[in-house]
């Protein structure tokens, strides 16, 4: 037969409460312990890492991928002269430095103007050389004339001195003496004139050459003084 136990239900309820309190305390303790633990390091596969000794220096990382390299910024450079693109040497995205050749332009008008300027330069240089030769020739001729005039003057002077001495000795007439003295005076004037002419010719060479030399330098410094088959576009300095 069954015997009623009125306190069994209360004991079971009390045990459940005790067990629940113990479980709650244990759960709280575990939570606190887990909260105080440091996070674990992430794990990676061995073939994805590179293990080596730590060194000081630059670290280079190369990344390869498929696609087209696109520049972040494009800067357009205007050509100084008109023309059509004859040859493209560098494409967008290439690394350039000041003075790097980018492309070549061709323009028949520029080529013709350069050829004309070069022809004018050669003509001016030839004229300068011809002028130098002419002035040197004139200088030599003037020097020769001056030397001959001086020689004639020295001879006439010597003859006048001799005739004067002979006149004192009564060996020549007074008319011959005066003629000799007149010839010596004329030779002296001619010599003075020729010496001045020689000095002037010598001093005038440099100014005349300087004028023609300035014209040559002007043509040489002209932007189109040298013939070009193409215009080369270069990157501007930073």
């Amino acid at each position: 037969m069954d015997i009623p136990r009125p306190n069994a239900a209360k004991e079971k309820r009390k045990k459940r409460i005790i067990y629940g309190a113990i479980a709650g305390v244990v759960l709280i303790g575990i939570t606190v312990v887990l909260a105080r633990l440091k996070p674990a390091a992430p794990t990676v596969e061995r073939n994805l890492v590179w293990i080596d000794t730590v060194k000081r220096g630059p670290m280079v990382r190369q990344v390869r991928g498929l696609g087209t390299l696109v520049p972040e910024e494009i800067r357009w450079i205007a050509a100084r002269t008109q023309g059509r693109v004859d040859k493209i040497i560098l494409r967008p995205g290439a690394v350039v430095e000041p003075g790097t050749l980018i492309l070549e332009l061709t323009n028949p008008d520029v080529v013709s103007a350069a050829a004309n300027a070069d022809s004018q330069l050669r003509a001016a240089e030839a004229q300068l050389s011809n002028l130098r030769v002419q002035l040197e020739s004139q200088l030599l001729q003037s020097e020769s004339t001056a030397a001959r005039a001086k020689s004639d003057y020295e001879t006439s002077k010597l003859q006048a001195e001799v005739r004067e001495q002979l006149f004192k000795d009564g060996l020549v007439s007074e008319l011959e003496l005066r003629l000799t003295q007149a010839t010596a005076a004329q030779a002296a004037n001619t010599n003075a004139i020729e010496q001045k002419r020689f000095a002037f010719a010598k001093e005038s060479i440099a100014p005349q050459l300087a004028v023609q030399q300035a014209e040559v330098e002007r043509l040489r410094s002209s932007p189109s003084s040298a013939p070009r088959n193409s215009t080369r576009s270069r990157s501007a300095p930073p």
Side-chain angles (χ1 to χ4, degrees):
M1 61 181 291
D2 296 332
I3 300 174
R5 300 176 62 181
N7 296 328
K10 294 182 180 180
E11 292 179 357
K12 288 182 179 181
R13 189 179 302 109
K14 185 182 296 184
K15 288 181 180 180
R16 290 177 181 175
I17 294 174
I18 293 173
Y19 291 155
I22 294 173
V25 172
V26 173
L27 181 61
I28 293 173
I30 294 173
T31 303
V32 173
V33 172
L34 292 177
R36 293 184 178 181
L37 291 177
K38 296 182 180 180
T43 59
V44 294
E45 297 181 5
R46 177 64 179 82
N47 57 352
L48 298 181
V49 296
W50 182 17
I51 300 177
D52 197 359
T53 305
V54 177
K55 300 177 182 179
R56 183 181 298 274
M59 180 177 179
V60 181
R61 180 187 179 190
Q62 296 181 353
V63 179
R64 297 182 179 181
L66 300 177
T68 303
L69 182 62
V70 180
E72 297 181 357
E73 181 180 357
I74 298 177
R75 180 179 178 183
W76 295 97
I77 302 176
R80 297 181 180 179
T81 57
Q82 297 181 357
R84 66 179 181 84
V85 177
D86 184 66
K87 182 179 180 181
I88 299 177
I89 299 177
L90 296 180
R91 296 288 180 177
V95 180
V96 298
E97 297 178 355
T100 301
L101 187 61
I102 299 176
L103 53 87
E104 294 182 359
L105 304 177
T106 58
N107 189 332
D109 296 335
V110 175
V111 174
S112 177
N116 293 334
D118 185 67
S119 177
Q120 294 178 3
L121 175 60
R122 289 198 298 266
E125 290 176 346
Q127 187 175 357
L128 176 60
S129 300
N130 186 29
L131 179 60
R132 182 179 290 108
V133 172
Q134 290 181 358
L135 292 177
E136 291 179 354
S137 177
Q138 293 176 4
L139 180 63
L140 291 176
Q141 184 177 0
S142 179
E143 184 179 6
S144 176
T145 304
R148 186 169 56 253
K150 184 177 181 180
S151 177
D152 294 341
Y153 165 66
E154 295 292 341
T155 302
S156 299
K157 181 181 178 182
L158 182 59
Q159 290 178 355
E161 292 177 353
V162 172
R163 292 294 176 88
E164 185 178 359
Q165 186 64 36
L166 294 175
F167 175 74
K168 291 180 181 180
D169 296 338
L171 298 177
V172 296
S173 62
E174 183 179 357
L175 178 59
E176 293 180 357
L177 175 61
R178 290 182 178 181
L179 291 174
T180 305
Q181 291 176 345
T183 302
Q186 183 179 0
N189 293 333
T190 303
N191 177 58
I193 294 173
E194 293 299 334
Q195 297 301 327
K196 291 180 180 179
R197 183 176 299 175
F198 171 67
F200 176 77
K202 187 176 182 179
E203 294 175 358
S204 63
I205 289 180
Q208 296 184 61
L209 291 178
V211 174
Q212 188 62 29
Q213 183 68 36
E215 179 65 15
V216 171
E217 294 298 332
R218 183 187 69 82
L219 294 174
R220 185 174 297 166
S221 61
S222 176
S224 301
S225 59
R228 304 170 187 171
N229 295 327
S230 61
T231 300
R232 296 188 174 187
S233 179
R234 297 182 180 272
S235 59

